[in-house]
């Protein structure tokens, strides 16, 4: 059976196909230790942060249009892409203030993951934010985003209403904690 | 605050940048009900299926190289992309037989989700497969894939060892069921 040495690879070439303001795409070549070479189309993404933002009674979610999947009303954690060189928690604080107008006292890392590991390098970091207060600056005006305060005692309903990976992971971890705390 | 009508959009144009054997990339234009137009780079993906494949004592995982994220040893659910026109469960059966040489008596849909909803249309379907037996055909020879039988009483360890979205979602749902069954 295959072991680690059979899986080692190095990148031997890359050609950029598209370089946008957000994502880029390149076709890259890799060589394995046994000499085999493979070509992969790879999407490069700056990474993202999502925030499970909780008061004692609610988790704060957003509804927003998602053109890529044809959904005008996608229910998700407040989230945003990482800016180059910016600390992940700093980025999460900025997104929370801009998207929903909140600041949080306590930040806890819940989970990081790769979204679509076969084709894209995006890594998403999910944080739990508690101890909420209104942010000093107002939330950005965005006519498309609706803030939704979802009752914590209906996380099952929120999980049924979303189809977004980071939101599912964040809410599953939150539900697990609440069950453990109640046990 | 924004409501559904502010978020309705229609696609008004698309230009293909890359059309590979697996993913493609296009730059598309969308117009909202208020007339605003936006442009998005969107990755098109055929969709995928992942299988939480359980015996009474183990969940069957695979280790494989993932060039896009530079990991030679990514620990994941057996999974694969959907073939055009193929039923999702048929696709899951095929992947399970090809990747790990197993067939399953019972198939249950656990969860579907969009991997990276801002930039890609990939939808992943995660199934629970139980009642395992050896598949009639042998698993495909693949020198890179290692089959890992992970003890069900150490799902925490498997969750700590993976960084793949579909695997995290599948194992979180499996852990939740086992806790509920034990309670």
């Amino acid at each position: 059976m295959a072991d680690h040495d059979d899986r080692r690879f190095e990148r031997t070439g890359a050609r950029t196909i598209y370089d946008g303001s957000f994502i880029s795409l390149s076709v890259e070549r890799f060589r394995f230790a046994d000499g085999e070479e493979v070509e992969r189309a790879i999407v490069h993404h700056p990474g993202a942060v999502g925030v499970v933002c909780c008061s004692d009674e609610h988790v704060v979610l957003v509804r927003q249009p998602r053109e890529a999947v044809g959904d005008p009303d996608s229910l998700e954690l407040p989230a945003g892409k990482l800016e180059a060189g910016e600390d992940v928690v700093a980025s999460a604080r900025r997104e929370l203030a801009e998207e929903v107008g909140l600041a949080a006292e306590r930040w806890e890392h819940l989970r990081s993951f790769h979204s679509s590991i076969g084709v894209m390098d995006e890594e998403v970091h999910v944080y739990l934010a508690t101890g909420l207060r209104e942010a000093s600056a107002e939330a950005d005006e965005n006519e498309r985003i609706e803030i939704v305060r979802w009752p914590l005692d209906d996380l099952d309903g929120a999980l049924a209403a979303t189809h977004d990976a980071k939101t599912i992971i964040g809410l599953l971890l939150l539900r697990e904690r609440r069950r453990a705390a109640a046990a």
Side-chain angles (χ1 to χ4, degrees), chain A residues 4-172:
Chain A
H4 171 76
D5 283 343
D6 298 312
R7 290 191 295 268
R8 279 184 304 125
F9 57 81
E10 57 177 348
R11 194 170 72 158
T12 55
R15 152 173 79 89
T16 299
I17 304 288
Y18 172 79
D19 190 4
S21 60
F22 187 4
I23 59 172
S24 64
L25 174 78
S26 53
V27 172
E28 308 186 11
R29 293 186 67 79
F30 298 87
R31 185 167 50 221
F32 285 91
D34 63 7
E36 192 197 0
E37 294 203 43
V38 297
E39 196 172 81
R40 298 275 183 264
I42 295 178
V43 180
H44 295 278
H45 184 293
V49 62
V51 185
V52 179
C53 171
C54 288
S55 70
D56 289 344
E57 295 183 345
H58 296 96
V59 55
V60 182
L61 302 173
V62 292
R63 272 192 213 282
Q64 62 185 311
R66 289 302 197 177
E67 297 87 354
V69 301
D71 184 356
D73 299 308
S74 180
L75 183 71
E76 302 179 27
L77 303 180
K81 66 175 170 174
L82 298 180
E83 303 292 340
E86 189 180 33
D87 173 78
V88 178
V89 175
S91 188
R93 286 185 192 278
R94 180 176 47 73
E95 287 296 342
L96 199 65
E98 287 177 4
E99 271 200 6
V100 300
L102 292 171
E105 198 176 326
R106 291 176 296 279
W107 289 85
E108 183 184 345
H109 177 251
L110 287 178
R111 183 80 228 199
S112 294
F113 62 89
H114 285 104
S115 308
S116 185
I117 201 165
V119 298
M120 182 158 68
D121 66 2
E122 181 187 17
E123 187 173 19
V124 181
H125 308 277
V126 179
Y127 281 80
L128 176 65
T130 54
L132 305 181
R133 62 179 189 282
E134 283 186 24
S136 44
E138 293 228 338
D140 283 4
E141 272 300 308
N142 183 322
E143 291 170 6
R144 315 278 177 229
I145 292 183
E146 180 181 355
I147 299 169
V148 180
R149 290 183 173 72
W150 201 286
L152 282 175
D153 59 16
D154 182 34
L155 289 180
D156 295 3
L159 276 158
T162 186
H163 51 97
D164 167 54
K166 66 181 173 301
T167 306
I168 293 169
I169 289 174
L171 294 182
L172 283 175

